[in-house]
Amino acid sequence: MTVSDTNGDQQILRYRTRQRVVHAVMASSFLILLVTGLALVWGPLAFLAAGGWSRYLHRIAAVAFMSVPFLYLILDRAGAKEVLVDSFKYDRDDVAWFRHMYRYVLGRTAEMPPQGRLNAGQKLHHSAVIVFSAVIVVTGLILWWLKSGLTPTQLAWTAMIHDLSMVALTLLLVGHVFFTYVYTAWSSMATGYVSKDDMEMEHSKWVEELEHDGAEGSSS
Ligand code: HEM
């Protein structure tokens, strides 16, 4: 859907409200998991764990984080399917995009190969989030419910995989927030809408697709 803003510039709907709600639950539960998890394993933040409240908050946030795929399927099944399929599907332009990624990091998006709804970097980010989140959930559930049945070696491995996956997600988040800032992408999650001009530069194949679908819709 395209609308005009107060300056008359065209805006395209990128994320529906329910998708933005799912993202808010995912982002906020992840940040709580990160802080309460750090309080359990990192000395300088141990004061936050005093009284044991961070253990409880960590578990509450874990339940919220685990609910994300189910919430997505309930609130916006099409959106959930789209992000799952799009994140793992690469084409030749994506391979070319990775070869020129340094230009994207420098904010020179006009020189990049044409991209669909997600650029190759977003695909890599989203698919890595899905994989590492799954690892975190499985190892987290083992640490929560099956800890007493583990040998000391099994416990150490499970905790290490859990913590390293959290480190990976945190590094991905740094990149995610960096690109959100560089490409002023926040509006897509704040209002759902993005500038059509920006999308023509960053996701030209997606804009073509939307226009093609729109033209087909109006002619049928
Ligand atoms: C807290 C700071 C965060 C900011 C500022 C932020 C910002 C954004 C923005 C602007 C988008 C839309 C990008 C686009 O135009 O396509 C997005 C999408 C996304 N973000 Fe974040 N994000 C944050 C946290 C997180 C966290 C913690 C995770 C994962 C643990 C995450 C995972 C995702 C995923 C998977 C999408 C795609 C959503 C979908 O297709 O439904 N984000 N984020």
Side-chain angles (χ1 to χ4, degrees), residues 14-15 23 26-27 30-31 72 83 122 125-126 173 176-177 180 185-186 188-189:
R14 188 154 167 84
Y15 290 103
H23 182 263
M26 177 168 57
F30 177 81
L31 292 175
Y72 214 159
V83 69
Q122 288 172 321
H125 169 266
H126 299 356
L173 178 62
H176 188 55
V177 173
T180 298
W186 180 239
S188 65
M189 276 303 161

mmCIF file with all atom_site columns, all heavy atoms in Angstrom, residues 14-15 23 26-27 30-31 72 83 122 125-126 173 176-177 180 185-186 188-189, ligand 1:
data_model
loop_
_atom_site.group_PDB
_atom_site.id
_atom_site.type_symbol
_atom_site.label_atom_id
_atom_site.label_alt_id
_atom_site.label_comp_id
_atom_site.label_asym_id
_atom_site.label_entity_id
_atom_site.label_seq_id
_atom_site.pdbx_PDB_ins_code
_atom_site.Cartn_x
_atom_site.Cartn_y
_atom_site.Cartn_z
_atom_site.occupancy
_atom_site.B_iso_or_equiv
_atom_site.pdbx_formal_charge
_atom_site.auth_seq_id
_atom_site.auth_comp_id
_atom_site.auth_asym_id
_atom_site.auth_atom_id
_atom_site.pdbx_PDB_model_num
ATOM   1   N  N   . ARG A 1 14  ? 5.793  -1.172  4.719  1.00 0.00 ? 14  ARG A N   1
ATOM   2   C  CA  . ARG A 1 14  ? 6.809  -2.246  4.737  1.00 0.00 ? 14  ARG A CA  1
ATOM   3   C  C   . ARG A 1 14  ? 6.483  -3.293  5.811  1.00 0.00 ? 14  ARG A C   1
ATOM   4   O  O   . ARG A 1 14  ? 6.639  -4.475  5.589  1.00 0.00 ? 14  ARG A O   1
ATOM   5   C  CB  . ARG A 1 14  ? 8.194  -1.630  4.978  1.00 0.00 ? 14  ARG A CB  1
ATOM   6   C  CG  . ARG A 1 14  ? 9.332  -2.620  4.823  1.00 0.00 ? 14  ARG A CG  1
ATOM   7   C  CD  . ARG A 1 14  ? 10.614 -1.919  4.448  1.00 0.00 ? 14  ARG A CD  1
ATOM   8   N  NE  . ARG A 1 14  ? 11.775 -2.785  4.588  1.00 0.00 ? 14  ARG A NE  1
ATOM   9   C  CZ  . ARG A 1 14  ? 12.180 -3.649  3.657  1.00 0.00 ? 14  ARG A CZ  1
ATOM   10  N  NH1 . ARG A 1 14  ? 11.525 -3.772  2.530  1.00 0.00 ? 14  ARG A NH1 1
ATOM   11  N  NH2 . ARG A 1 14  ? 13.252 -4.389  3.851  1.00 0.00 ? 14  ARG A NH2 1
ATOM   12  N  N   . TYR A 1 15  ? 6.030  -2.843  6.989  1.00 0.00 ? 15  TYR A N   1
ATOM   13  C  CA  . TYR A 1 15  ? 5.646  -3.791  8.055  1.00 0.00 ? 15  TYR A CA  1
ATOM   14  C  C   . TYR A 1 15  ? 4.281  -3.440  8.604  1.00 0.00 ? 15  TYR A C   1
ATOM   15  O  O   . TYR A 1 15  ? 4.057  -2.297  9.021  1.00 0.00 ? 15  TYR A O   1
ATOM   16  C  CB  . TYR A 1 15  ? 6.692  -3.797  9.180  1.00 0.00 ? 15  TYR A CB  1
ATOM   17  C  CG  . TYR A 1 15  ? 8.001  -4.420  8.748  1.00 0.00 ? 15  TYR A CG  1
ATOM   18  C  CD1 . TYR A 1 15  ? 9.104  -3.633  8.440  1.00 0.00 ? 15  TYR A CD1 1
ATOM   19  C  CD2 . TYR A 1 15  ? 8.105  -5.807  8.589  1.00 0.00 ? 15  TYR A CD2 1
ATOM   20  C  CE1 . TYR A 1 15  ? 10.288 -4.195  7.997  1.00 0.00 ? 15  TYR A CE1 1
ATOM   21  C  CE2 . TYR A 1 15  ? 9.288  -6.387  8.145  1.00 0.00 ? 15  TYR A CE2 1
ATOM   22  C  CZ  . TYR A 1 15  ? 10.365 -5.574  7.859  1.00 0.00 ? 15  TYR A CZ  1
ATOM   23  O  OH  . TYR A 1 15  ? 11.534 -6.138  7.411  1.00 0.00 ? 15  TYR A OH  1
ATOM   24  N  N   . HIS A 1 23  ? 7.973  -7.838  16.390 1.00 0.00 ? 23  HIS A N   1
ATOM   25  C  CA  . HIS A 1 23  ? 9.354  -7.370  16.483 1.00 0.00 ? 23  HIS A CA  1
ATOM   26  C  C   . HIS A 1 23  ? 9.618  -6.738  17.853 1.00 0.00 ? 23  HIS A C   1
ATOM   27  O  O   . HIS A 1 23  ? 10.669 -6.956  18.459 1.00 0.00 ? 23  HIS A O   1
ATOM   28  C  CB  . HIS A 1 23  ? 9.656  -6.368  15.362 1.00 0.00 ? 23  HIS A CB  1
ATOM   29  C  CG  . HIS A 1 23  ? 11.078 -5.883  15.363 1.00 0.00 ? 23  HIS A CG  1
ATOM   30  N  ND1 . HIS A 1 23  ? 11.443 -4.699  15.943 1.00 0.00 ? 23  HIS A ND1 1
ATOM   31  C  CD2 . HIS A 1 23  ? 12.229 -6.434  14.889 1.00 0.00 ? 23  HIS A CD2 1
ATOM   32  C  CE1 . HIS A 1 23  ? 12.754 -4.540  15.809 1.00 0.00 ? 23  HIS A CE1 1
ATOM   33  N  NE2 . HIS A 1 23  ? 13.252 -5.573  15.177 1.00 0.00 ? 23  HIS A NE2 1
ATOM   34  N  N   . MET A 1 26  ? 10.038 -9.448  20.375 1.00 0.00 ? 26  MET A N   1
ATOM   35  C  CA  . MET A 1 26  ? 11.334 -10.124 20.177 1.00 0.00 ? 26  MET A CA  1
ATOM   36  C  C   . MET A 1 26  ? 12.480 -9.256  20.683 1.00 0.00 ? 26  MET A C   1
ATOM   37  O  O   . MET A 1 26  ? 13.334 -9.720  21.441 1.00 0.00 ? 26  MET A O   1
ATOM   38  C  CB  . MET A 1 26  ? 11.513 -10.429 18.678 1.00 0.00 ? 26  MET A CB  1
ATOM   39  C  CG  . MET A 1 26  ? 12.836 -11.052 18.320 1.00 0.00 ? 26  MET A CG  1
ATOM   40  S  SD  . MET A 1 26  ? 12.828 -11.681 16.633 1.00 0.00 ? 26  MET A SD  1
ATOM   41  C  CE  . MET A 1 26  ? 12.414 -10.216 15.702 1.00 0.00 ? 26  MET A CE  1
ATOM   42  N  N   . ALA A 1 27  ? 12.484 -7.971  20.276 1.00 0.00 ? 27  ALA A N   1
ATOM   43  C  CA  . ALA A 1 27  ? 13.599 -7.083  20.645 1.00 0.00 ? 27  ALA A CA  1
ATOM   44  C  C   . ALA A 1 27  ? 13.630 -6.844  22.155 1.00 0.00 ? 27  ALA A C   1
ATOM   45  O  O   . ALA A 1 27  ? 14.692 -6.939  22.775 1.00 0.00 ? 27  ALA A O   1
ATOM   46  C  CB  . ALA A 1 27  ? 13.481 -5.756  19.893 1.00 0.00 ? 27  ALA A CB  1
ATOM   47  N  N   . PHE A 1 30  ? 14.603 -9.996  24.067 1.00 0.00 ? 30  PHE A N   1
ATOM   48  C  CA  . PHE A 1 30  ? 16.030 -10.294 23.862 1.00 0.00 ? 30  PHE A CA  1
ATOM   49  C  C   . PHE A 1 30  ? 16.900 -9.389  24.743 1.00 0.00 ? 30  PHE A C   1
ATOM   50  O  O   . PHE A 1 30  ? 17.837 -9.859  25.384 1.00 0.00 ? 30  PHE A O   1
ATOM   51  C  CB  . PHE A 1 30  ? 16.430 -10.115 22.390 1.00 0.00 ? 30  PHE A CB  1
ATOM   52  C  CG  . PHE A 1 30  ? 17.900 -10.339 22.178 1.00 0.00 ? 30  PHE A CG  1
ATOM   53  C  CD1 . PHE A 1 30  ? 18.401 -11.627 22.064 1.00 0.00 ? 30  PHE A CD1 1
ATOM   54  C  CD2 . PHE A 1 30  ? 18.793 -9.274  22.151 1.00 0.00 ? 30  PHE A CD2 1
ATOM   55  C  CE1 . PHE A 1 30  ? 19.766 -11.852 21.923 1.00 0.00 ? 30  PHE A CE1 1
ATOM   56  C  CE2 . PHE A 1 30  ? 20.158 -9.492  22.009 1.00 0.00 ? 30  PHE A CE2 1
ATOM   57  C  CZ  . PHE A 1 30  ? 20.647 -10.776 21.886 1.00 0.00 ? 30  PHE A CZ  1
ATOM   58  N  N   . LEU A 1 31  ? 16.574 -8.097  24.787 1.00 0.00 ? 31  LEU A N   1
ATOM   59  C  CA  . LEU A 1 31  ? 17.402 -7.177  25.573 1.00 0.00 ? 31  LEU A CA  1
ATOM   60  C  C   . LEU A 1 31  ? 17.348 -7.520  27.069 1.00 0.00 ? 31  LEU A C   1
ATOM   61  O  O   . LEU A 1 31  ? 18.353 -7.449  27.765 1.00 0.00 ? 31  LEU A O   1
ATOM   62  C  CB  . LEU A 1 31  ? 16.970 -5.720  25.320 1.00 0.00 ? 31  LEU A CB  1
ATOM   63  C  CG  . LEU A 1 31  ? 17.270 -5.210  23.900 1.00 0.00 ? 31  LEU A CG  1
ATOM   64  C  CD1 . LEU A 1 31  ? 16.715 -3.805  23.690 1.00 0.00 ? 31  LEU A CD1 1
ATOM   65  C  CD2 . LEU A 1 31  ? 18.773 -5.228  23.612 1.00 0.00 ? 31  LEU A CD2 1
ATOM   66  N  N   . TYR A 1 72  ? 3.889  -14.828 15.978 1.00 0.00 ? 72  TYR A N   1
ATOM   67  C  CA  . TYR A 1 72  ? 3.942  -14.386 14.576 1.00 0.00 ? 72  TYR A CA  1
ATOM   68  C  C   . TYR A 1 72  ? 2.922  -15.174 13.750 1.00 0.00 ? 72  TYR A C   1
ATOM   69  O  O   . TYR A 1 72  ? 2.163  -14.604 12.953 1.00 0.00 ? 72  TYR A O   1
ATOM   70  C  CB  . TYR A 1 72  ? 5.357  -14.571 14.012 1.00 0.00 ? 72  TYR A CB  1
ATOM   71  C  CG  . TYR A 1 72  ? 5.787  -13.524 12.995 1.00 0.00 ? 72  TYR A CG  1
ATOM   72  C  CD1 . TYR A 1 72  ? 7.124  -13.275 12.714 1.00 0.00 ? 72  TYR A CD1 1
ATOM   73  C  CD2 . TYR A 1 72  ? 4.841  -12.766 12.303 1.00 0.00 ? 72  TYR A CD2 1
ATOM   74  C  CE1 . TYR A 1 72  ? 7.523  -12.306 11.793 1.00 0.00 ? 72  TYR A CE1 1
ATOM   75  C  CE2 . TYR A 1 72  ? 5.232  -11.801 11.380 1.00 0.00 ? 72  TYR A CE2 1
ATOM   76  C  CZ  . TYR A 1 72  ? 6.571  -11.577 11.129 1.00 0.00 ? 72  TYR A CZ  1
ATOM   77  O  OH  . TYR A 1 72  ? 6.943  -10.616 10.218 1.00 0.00 ? 72  TYR A OH  1
ATOM   78  N  N   . VAL A 1 83  ? 8.991  -14.039 6.040  1.00 0.00 ? 83  VAL A N   1
ATOM   79  C  CA  . VAL A 1 83  ? 10.339 -13.814 6.580  1.00 0.00 ? 83  VAL A CA  1
ATOM   80  C  C   . VAL A 1 83  ? 11.113 -15.121 6.625  1.00 0.00 ? 83  VAL A C   1
ATOM   81  O  O   . VAL A 1 83  ? 12.318 -15.162 6.365  1.00 0.00 ? 83  VAL A O   1
ATOM   82  C  CB  . VAL A 1 83  ? 10.309 -13.094 7.958  1.00 0.00 ? 83  VAL A CB  1
ATOM   83  C  CG1 . VAL A 1 83  ? 9.757  -13.954 9.061  1.00 0.00 ? 83  VAL A CG1 1
ATOM   84  C  CG2 . VAL A 1 83  ? 11.696 -12.586 8.330  1.00 0.00 ? 83  VAL A CG2 1
ATOM   85  N  N   . GLN A 1 122 ? 20.347 -8.445  5.071  1.00 0.00 ? 122 GLN A N   1
ATOM   86  C  CA  . GLN A 1 122 ? 19.187 -8.686  5.942  1.00 0.00 ? 122 GLN A CA  1
ATOM   87  C  C   . GLN A 1 122 ? 18.844 -10.172 5.957  1.00 0.00 ? 122 GLN A C   1
ATOM   88  O  O   . GLN A 1 122 ? 18.498 -10.720 6.997  1.00 0.00 ? 122 GLN A O   1
ATOM   89  C  CB  . GLN A 1 122 ? 17.983 -7.871  5.459  1.00 0.00 ? 122 GLN A CB  1
ATOM   90  C  CG  . GLN A 1 122 ? 18.134 -6.378  5.733  1.00 0.00 ? 122 GLN A CG  1
ATOM   91  C  CD  . GLN A 1 122 ? 17.030 -5.561  5.077  1.00 0.00 ? 122 GLN A CD  1
ATOM   92  O  OE1 . GLN A 1 122 ? 16.608 -5.839  3.950  1.00 0.00 ? 122 GLN A OE1 1
ATOM   93  N  NE2 . GLN A 1 122 ? 16.572 -4.541  5.782  1.00 0.00 ? 122 GLN A NE2 1
ATOM   94  N  N   . HIS A 1 125 ? 21.267 -11.771 8.223  1.00 0.00 ? 125 HIS A N   1
ATOM   95  C  CA  . HIS A 1 125 ? 20.957 -11.421 9.610  1.00 0.00 ? 125 HIS A CA  1
ATOM   96  C  C   . HIS A 1 125 ? 19.760 -12.221 10.112 1.00 0.00 ? 125 HIS A C   1
ATOM   97  O  O   . HIS A 1 125 ? 19.811 -12.866 11.153 1.00 0.00 ? 125 HIS A O   1
ATOM   98  C  CB  . HIS A 1 125 ? 20.676 -9.917  9.738  1.00 0.00 ? 125 HIS A CB  1
ATOM   99  C  CG  . HIS A 1 125 ? 20.100 -9.530  11.074 1.00 0.00 ? 125 HIS A CG  1
ATOM   100 N  ND1 . HIS A 1 125 ? 18.739 -9.435  11.284 1.00 0.00 ? 125 HIS A ND1 1
ATOM   101 C  CD2 . HIS A 1 125 ? 20.685 -9.278  12.278 1.00 0.00 ? 125 HIS A CD2 1
ATOM   102 C  CE1 . HIS A 1 125 ? 18.522 -9.119  12.554 1.00 0.00 ? 125 HIS A CE1 1
ATOM   103 N  NE2 . HIS A 1 125 ? 19.687 -9.008  13.170 1.00 0.00 ? 125 HIS A NE2 1
ATOM   104 N  N   . HIS A 1 126 ? 18.659 -12.176 9.339  1.00 0.00 ? 126 HIS A N   1
ATOM   105 C  CA  . HIS A 1 126 ? 17.424 -12.822 9.804  1.00 0.00 ? 126 HIS A CA  1
ATOM   106 C  C   . HIS A 1 126 ? 17.603 -14.338 9.923  1.00 0.00 ? 126 HIS A C   1
ATOM   107 O  O   . HIS A 1 126 ? 17.134 -14.947 10.900 1.00 0.00 ? 126 HIS A O   1
ATOM   108 C  CB  . HIS A 1 126 ? 16.252 -12.515 8.866  1.00 0.00 ? 126 HIS A CB  1
ATOM   109 C  CG  . HIS A 1 126 ? 15.913 -11.046 8.760  1.00 0.00 ? 126 HIS A CG  1
ATOM   110 N  ND1 . HIS A 1 126 ? 16.538 -10.075 9.505  1.00 0.00 ? 126 HIS A ND1 1
ATOM   111 C  CD2 . HIS A 1 126 ? 15.003 -10.382 7.999  1.00 0.00 ? 126 HIS A CD2 1
ATOM   112 C  CE1 . HIS A 1 126 ? 16.047 -8.883  9.205  1.00 0.00 ? 126 HIS A CE1 1
ATOM   113 N  NE2 . HIS A 1 126 ? 15.110 -9.040  8.299  1.00 0.00 ? 126 HIS A NE2 1
ATOM   114 N  N   . LEU A 1 173 ? 23.130 -8.037  16.573 1.00 0.00 ? 173 LEU A N   1
ATOM   115 C  CA  . LEU A 1 173 ? 22.309 -6.880  16.954 1.00 0.00 ? 173 LEU A CA  1
ATOM   116 C  C   . LEU A 1 173 ? 23.079 -5.571  16.742 1.00 0.00 ? 173 LEU A C   1
ATOM   117 O  O   . LEU A 1 173 ? 22.499 -4.570  16.294 1.00 0.00 ? 173 LEU A O   1
ATOM   118 C  CB  . LEU A 1 173 ? 21.855 -7.013  18.418 1.00 0.00 ? 173 LEU A CB  1
ATOM   119 C  CG  . LEU A 1 173 ? 21.026 -5.859  18.963 1.00 0.00 ? 173 LEU A CG  1
ATOM   120 C  CD1 . LEU A 1 173 ? 19.725 -5.701  18.188 1.00 0.00 ? 173 LEU A CD1 1
ATOM   121 C  CD2 . LEU A 1 173 ? 20.725 -6.045  20.455 1.00 0.00 ? 173 LEU A CD2 1
ATOM   122 N  N   . HIS A 1 176 ? 22.822 -4.892  13.178 1.00 0.00 ? 176 HIS A N   1
ATOM   123 C  CA  . HIS A 1 176 ? 21.414 -4.596  12.875 1.00 0.00 ? 176 HIS A CA  1
ATOM   124 C  C   . HIS A 1 176 ? 21.075 -3.137  13.240 1.00 0.00 ? 176 HIS A C   1
ATOM   125 O  O   . HIS A 1 176 ? 20.491 -2.402  12.440 1.00 0.00 ? 176 HIS A O   1
ATOM   126 C  CB  . HIS A 1 176 ? 20.575 -5.573  13.696 1.00 0.00 ? 176 HIS A CB  1
ATOM   127 C  CG  . HIS A 1 176 ? 19.120 -5.594  13.420 1.00 0.00 ? 176 HIS A CG  1
ATOM   128 N  ND1 . HIS A 1 176 ? 18.584 -5.793  12.178 1.00 0.00 ? 176 HIS A ND1 1
ATOM   129 C  CD2 . HIS A 1 176 ? 18.051 -5.467  14.268 1.00 0.00 ? 176 HIS A CD2 1
ATOM   130 C  CE1 . HIS A 1 176 ? 17.255 -5.785  12.268 1.00 0.00 ? 176 HIS A CE1 1
ATOM   131 N  NE2 . HIS A 1 176 ? 16.913 -5.573  13.517 1.00 0.00 ? 176 HIS A NE2 1
ATOM   132 N  N   . VAL A 1 177 ? 21.514 -2.723  14.417 1.00 0.00 ? 177 VAL A N   1
ATOM   133 C  CA  . VAL A 1 177 ? 21.223 -1.352  14.867 1.00 0.00 ? 177 VAL A CA  1
ATOM   134 C  C   . VAL A 1 177 ? 22.067 -0.345  14.065 1.00 0.00 ? 177 VAL A C   1
ATOM   135 O  O   . VAL A 1 177 ? 21.579 0.721   13.687 1.00 0.00 ? 177 VAL A O   1
ATOM   136 C  CB  . VAL A 1 177 ? 21.466 -1.214  16.397 1.00 0.00 ? 177 VAL A CB  1
ATOM   137 C  CG1 . VAL A 1 177 ? 21.330 0.236   16.843 1.00 0.00 ? 177 VAL A CG1 1
ATOM   138 C  CG2 . VAL A 1 177 ? 20.485 -2.093  17.171 1.00 0.00 ? 177 VAL A CG2 1
ATOM   139 N  N   . THR A 1 180 ? 20.354 0.075   10.784 1.00 0.00 ? 180 THR A N   1
ATOM   140 C  CA  . THR A 1 180 ? 19.095 0.794   11.005 1.00 0.00 ? 180 THR A CA  1
ATOM   141 C  C   . THR A 1 180 ? 19.381 2.293   11.064 1.00 0.00 ? 180 THR A C   1
ATOM   142 O  O   . THR A 1 180 ? 18.673 3.115   10.473 1.00 0.00 ? 180 THR A O   1
ATOM   143 C  CB  . THR A 1 180 ? 18.427 0.337   12.319 1.00 0.00 ? 180 THR A CB  1
ATOM   144 O  OG1 . THR A 1 180 ? 18.127 -1.048  12.221 1.00 0.00 ? 180 THR A OG1 1
ATOM   145 C  CG2 . THR A 1 180 ? 17.138 1.107   12.594 1.00 0.00 ? 180 THR A CG2 1
ATOM   146 N  N   . ALA A 1 185 ? 16.348 3.462   8.874  1.00 0.00 ? 185 ALA A N   1
ATOM   147 C  CA  . ALA A 1 185 ? 15.308 2.463   8.589  1.00 0.00 ? 185 ALA A CA  1
ATOM   148 C  C   . ALA A 1 185 ? 14.273 2.357   9.711  1.00 0.00 ? 185 ALA A C   1
ATOM   149 O  O   . ALA A 1 185 ? 13.328 1.572   9.597  1.00 0.00 ? 185 ALA A O   1
ATOM   150 C  CB  . ALA A 1 185 ? 15.957 1.095   8.367  1.00 0.00 ? 185 ALA A CB  1
ATOM   151 N  N   . TRP A 1 186 ? 14.461 3.119   10.794 1.00 0.00 ? 186 TRP A N   1
ATOM   152 C  CA  . TRP A 1 186 ? 13.607 2.925   11.966 1.00 0.00 ? 186 TRP A CA  1
ATOM   153 C  C   . TRP A 1 186 ? 12.123 3.109   11.671 1.00 0.00 ? 186 TRP A C   1
ATOM   154 O  O   . TRP A 1 186 ? 11.268 2.472   12.282 1.00 0.00 ? 186 TRP A O   1
ATOM   155 C  CB  . TRP A 1 186 ? 14.078 3.827   13.119 1.00 0.00 ? 186 TRP A CB  1
ATOM   156 C  CG  . TRP A 1 186 ? 13.236 3.670   14.343 1.00 0.00 ? 186 TRP A CG  1
ATOM   157 C  CD1 . TRP A 1 186 ? 12.534 4.637   14.977 1.00 0.00 ? 186 TRP A CD1 1
ATOM   158 C  CD2 . TRP A 1 186 ? 12.980 2.458   15.081 1.00 0.00 ? 186 TRP A CD2 1
ATOM   159 N  NE1 . TRP A 1 186 ? 11.845 4.123   16.043 1.00 0.00 ? 186 TRP A NE1 1
ATOM   160 C  CE2 . TRP A 1 186 ? 12.106 2.775   16.131 1.00 0.00 ? 186 TRP A CE2 1
ATOM   161 C  CE3 . TRP A 1 186 ? 13.392 1.134   14.945 1.00 0.00 ? 186 TRP A CE3 1
ATOM   162 C  CZ2 . TRP A 1 186 ? 11.632 1.840   17.046 1.00 0.00 ? 186 TRP A CZ2 1
ATOM   163 C  CZ3 . TRP A 1 186 ? 12.919 0.179   15.845 1.00 0.00 ? 186 TRP A CZ3 1
ATOM   164 C  CH2 . TRP A 1 186 ? 12.058 0.541   16.880 1.00 0.00 ? 186 TRP A CH2 1
ATOM   165 N  N   . SER A 1 188 ? 10.353 2.047   9.420  1.00 0.00 ? 188 SER A N   1
ATOM   166 C  CA  . SER A 1 188 ? 9.653  0.818   9.003  1.00 0.00 ? 188 SER A CA  1
ATOM   167 C  C   . SER A 1 188 ? 9.110  0.067   10.206 1.00 0.00 ? 188 SER A C   1
ATOM   168 O  O   . SER A 1 188 ? 8.097  -0.627  10.102 1.00 0.00 ? 188 SER A O   1
ATOM   169 C  CB  . SER A 1 188 ? 10.573 -0.079  8.166  1.00 0.00 ? 188 SER A CB  1
ATOM   170 O  OG  . SER A 1 188 ? 11.653 -0.530  8.948  1.00 0.00 ? 188 SER A OG  1
ATOM   171 N  N   . MET A 1 189 ? 9.786  0.183   11.359 1.00 0.00 ? 189 MET A N   1
ATOM   172 C  CA  . MET A 1 189 ? 9.283  -0.478  12.569 1.00 0.00 ? 189 MET A CA  1
ATOM   173 C  C   . MET A 1 189 ? 8.451  0.485   13.432 1.00 0.00 ? 189 MET A C   1
ATOM   174 O  O   . MET A 1 189 ? 7.603  0.066   14.199 1.00 0.00 ? 189 MET A O   1
ATOM   175 C  CB  . MET A 1 189 ? 10.447 -1.024  13.410 1.00 0.00 ? 189 MET A CB  1
ATOM   176 C  CG  . MET A 1 189 ? 10.923 -2.387  12.935 1.00 0.00 ? 189 MET A CG  1
ATOM   177 S  SD  . MET A 1 189 ? 9.572  -3.587  12.952 1.00 0.00 ? 189 MET A SD  1
ATOM   178 C  CE  . MET A 1 189 ? 10.222 -4.843  11.858 1.00 0.00 ? 189 MET A CE  1
HETATM 179 C  C1  . HEM B 2 .   ? 16.763 -3.038  19.914 1.00 0.00 ? 1   HEM B C1  1
HETATM 180 C  C2  . HEM B 2 .   ? 17.071 -2.509  18.801 1.00 0.00 ? 1   HEM B C2  1
HETATM 181 C  C3  . HEM B 2 .   ? 16.530 -2.891  17.452 1.00 0.00 ? 1   HEM B C3  1
HETATM 182 C  C4  . HEM B 2 .   ? 16.300 -2.044  16.418 1.00 0.00 ? 1   HEM B C4  1
HETATM 183 C  C5  . HEM B 2 .   ? 16.579 -0.537  16.420 1.00 0.00 ? 1   HEM B C5  1
HETATM 184 C  C6  . HEM B 2 .   ? 15.777 -2.810  15.323 1.00 0.00 ? 1   HEM B C6  1
HETATM 185 C  C7  . HEM B 2 .   ? 15.396 -2.296  14.102 1.00 0.00 ? 1   HEM B C7  1
HETATM 186 C  C8  . HEM B 2 .   ? 14.798 -3.027  13.088 1.00 0.00 ? 1   HEM B C8  1
HETATM 187 C  C9  . HEM B 2 .   ? 14.271 -2.468  11.864 1.00 0.00 ? 1   HEM B C9  1
HETATM 188 C  C10 . HEM B 2 .   ? 14.281 -0.979  11.504 1.00 0.00 ? 1   HEM B C10 1
HETATM 189 C  C11 . HEM B 2 .   ? 13.809 -3.486  11.119 1.00 0.00 ? 1   HEM B C11 1
HETATM 190 C  C12 . HEM B 2 .   ? 13.169 -3.370  9.724  1.00 0.00 ? 1   HEM B C12 1
HETATM 191 C  C13 . HEM B 2 .   ? 14.271 -3.381  8.673  1.00 0.00 ? 1   HEM B C13 1
HETATM 192 C  C14 . HEM B 2 .   ? 13.651 -3.352  7.284  1.00 0.00 ? 1   HEM B C14 1
HETATM 193 O  O1  . HEM B 2 .   ? 13.410 -2.252  6.813  1.00 0.00 ? 1   HEM B O1  1
HETATM 194 O  O2  . HEM B 2 .   ? 13.367 -4.423  6.736  1.00 0.00 ? 1   HEM B O2  1
HETATM 195 C  C15 . HEM B 2 .   ? 14.000 -4.695  11.865 1.00 0.00 ? 1   HEM B C15 1
HETATM 196 C  C16 . HEM B 2 .   ? 13.601 -5.955  11.436 1.00 0.00 ? 1   HEM B C16 1
HETATM 197 C  C17 . HEM B 2 .   ? 13.952 -7.119  12.081 1.00 0.00 ? 1   HEM B C17 1
HETATM 198 N  N1  . HEM B 2 .   ? 14.651 -7.221  13.262 1.00 0.00 ? 1   HEM B N1  1
HETATM 199 FE FE1 . HEM B 2 .   ? 15.173 -5.683  14.481 1.00 0.00 ? 1   HEM B FE1 1
HETATM 200 N  N2  . HEM B 2 .   ? 15.725 -4.121  15.698 1.00 0.00 ? 1   HEM B N2  1
HETATM 201 C  C18 . HEM B 2 .   ? 16.183 -4.233  16.985 1.00 0.00 ? 1   HEM B C18 1
HETATM 202 C  C19 . HEM B 2 .   ? 16.308 -5.391  17.716 1.00 0.00 ? 1   HEM B C19 1
HETATM 203 C  C20 . HEM B 2 .   ? 16.220 -6.659  17.181 1.00 0.00 ? 1   HEM B C20 1
HETATM 204 C  C21 . HEM B 2 .   ? 16.558 -7.885  17.877 1.00 0.00 ? 1   HEM B C21 1
HETATM 205 C  C22 . HEM B 2 .   ? 17.082 -7.939  19.311 1.00 0.00 ? 1   HEM B C22 1
HETATM 206 C  C23 . HEM B 2 .   ? 16.346 -8.909  17.013 1.00 0.00 ? 1   HEM B C23 1
HETATM 207 C  C24 . HEM B 2 .   ? 16.538 -10.383 17.209 1.00 0.00 ? 1   HEM B C24 1
HETATM 208 C  C25 . HEM B 2 .   ? 16.852 -10.974 18.326 1.00 0.00 ? 1   HEM B C25 1
HETATM 209 C  C26 . HEM B 2 .   ? 15.841 -8.339  15.779 1.00 0.00 ? 1   HEM B C26 1
HETATM 210 C  C27 . HEM B 2 .   ? 15.490 -9.058  14.651 1.00 0.00 ? 1   HEM B C27 1
HETATM 211 C  C28 . HEM B 2 .   ? 14.837 -8.548  13.551 1.00 0.00 ? 1   HEM B C28 1
HETATM 212 C  C29 . HEM B 2 .   ? 14.221 -9.349  12.513 1.00 0.00 ? 1   HEM B C29 1
HETATM 213 C  C30 . HEM B 2 .   ? 14.193 -10.885 12.444 1.00 0.00 ? 1   HEM B C30 1
HETATM 214 C  C31 . HEM B 2 .   ? 13.629 -8.454  11.610 1.00 0.00 ? 1   HEM B C31 1
HETATM 215 C  C32 . HEM B 2 .   ? 12.740 -8.802  10.404 1.00 0.00 ? 1   HEM B C32 1
HETATM 216 C  C33 . HEM B 2 .   ? 11.299 -8.736  10.922 1.00 0.00 ? 1   HEM B C33 1
HETATM 217 C  C34 . HEM B 2 .   ? 10.249 -9.320  9.991  1.00 0.00 ? 1   HEM B C34 1
HETATM 218 O  O3  . HEM B 2 .   ? 10.514 -9.555  8.812  1.00 0.00 ? 1   HEM B O3  1
HETATM 219 O  O4  . HEM B 2 .   ? 9.125  -9.518  10.471 1.00 0.00 ? 1   HEM B O4  1
HETATM 220 N  N3  . HEM B 2 .   ? 15.771 -6.971  15.916 1.00 0.00 ? 1   HEM B N3  1
HETATM 221 N  N4  . HEM B 2 .   ? 14.611 -4.380  13.058 1.00 0.00 ? 1   HEM B N4  1
#
